[in-house]
Amino acid sequence: MIGFQVLACEGAARLGRLTTAHGAFETPVFMPVGSAGTVKAMTPEGVSATGARIVLGNTYHLMLRPSAERIAALGGLHRFMNWPYAILTDSGGFQVMSLAARRTIAETGVTFRSHLDGSLYELTPERSIAIQHLLGADITMALDECTPYPAPREAVESSMELSMRWAERSRLAFAERPGHSIFGIVQGGVHPDLRLRSAAKLIGIGFDGYAVGGLAIGEGQGTTFAVLDATVPALPEDRPRYLMGVGKPADLVGAVARGIDMFDCVLPTRSGRTAQAFTRRGVVNLRNARHADDPAPLDPECACPACSGYSRAYLHHLSRAGEILGSMLLTVHNLQYYADLMAAMRAAIEAGAFAAFSAAFENEG
Ligand SMILES: [Zn+2]
């Protein structure tokens, strides 16, 4: 069980505070993705310097290499990766669907071959929860099947029903510890009635938090928001709500307006390694030749190390030369941009100015 308090509301948007075994943080929050026990191109000190107090770890990657048992023997994921704050681990379901070879889904779980060496694994709800316990996750996610998109309604429905049976088994397998929690994941594709049935099922089981999964996989922002409009009002007001794998800055603002509290996405870190920077004036591609002679900082309003110490010309040079420092500086900048965006939304909700913030953001974007 973890603590969650709603401190202020404006419309559906909420300012909240989530307390875990490894510290508390305010929501809405963006969680940097540290798939393999590292936020790529960042030190843990650099991640926390952006203001981040929770990162995401990845069951699929860590179970294959170096293995959950090895990490547990070395003191758990927090100690292993030298991250003293909160960690949320995903269940492994999404990566099994997107990365693993020759996967077979059955009622018991999913069997697959590692994309690293071809060895055979089985991931059941019970095994996923056991792995996340070995890792020491503050927030554990129930195992679900990420339904492909697009898919026929009958396929979406049977996939959602399977995920709900797995959710029940995940909840039963979860060992209650102070400061630790398990979230259920609403599925049901783009069908509001399936989403509502899924939410009702999860609420009946009883989770510490509720995630909305299976979105931002090609359905488009309008559809994502429509699913949230249908789903979020059905979720308990006193529990955190997590939109998985989303997204672009405008997606985050729109989802916060619809009552979402937590986000993760590879976009800021992955973009940082491909010379794409998020700024207050839109996305900047540092590979573009127009930056070659520009002595100005990337984003003059940003206080990150990349913007306070380096010119666009230098960042352009690093990206053209394929230098590792280019990835490092653009990743820290992008994570700072996301952290600042979340902080600005929290401040706006607290001040009762979120509607104005959201409208201004839409006009700029
Ligand atoms: Zn910056």
Side-chain angles (χ1 to χ4, degrees), residues 185-262:
I185 305 171
V186 179
Q187 290 288 351
V190 298
H191 309 285
D193 61 316
L194 297 183
R195 288 279 174 182
L196 289 173
R197 201 195 303 168
S198 176
K201 180 71 186 173
L202 294 177
I203 293 163
I205 297 167
F207 285 93
D208 300 307
Y210 294 86
V212 182
L215 290 175
I217 51 175
E219 77 280 1
Q221 191 197 60
T223 304
T224 306
F225 286 171
V227 169
L228 294 181
D229 286 333
T231 307
V232 176
L235 299 176
E237 286 183 8
D238 61 348
R239 300 294 161 95
R241 303 156 177 168
Y242 164 27
L243 178 57
M244 303 182 79
V246 175
K248 295 190 180 79
D251 300 331
L252 304 192
V253 175
V256 167
R258 289 165 174 82
I260 295 292
D261 306 303
M262 304 168 68

Side-chain angles (χ1 to χ4, degrees), residues 56-60 88-95 128 132 139 141-142 242 244:
L56 187 138
N58 201 285
T59 285
Y60 175 82
L88 179 149
T89 48
D90 73 357
S91 69
F94 181 80
Q95 279 72 28
S128 173
Q132 295 179 74
I139 301 176
M141 299 304 298
Y242 164 27
M244 303 182 79

Side-chain angles (χ1 to χ4, degrees), residues 10 348 352-363:
E10 183 186 333
F354 182 73
F357 176 92
S358 177
F361 194 89
E362 266 175 39
N363 289 336

Side-chain angles (χ1 to χ4, degrees), residues 123-142:
L123 193 63
T124 62
E126 292 77 15
R127 178 63 183 151
S128 173
I129 301 306
I131 290 170
Q132 295 179 74
H133 192 157
L134 286 166
L135 297 174
D138 298 273
I139 301 176
T140 290
M141 299 304 298

Side-chain angles (χ1 to χ4, degrees), residues 280 298-299 302-308 329 332-334 336-337:
R280 286 159 180 78
L298 175 56
D299 185 342
C302 178
C304 87
C307 293
S308 49
L329 289 173
V332 71
H333 166 78
N334 283 343
Q336 190 68 63
Y337 174 84

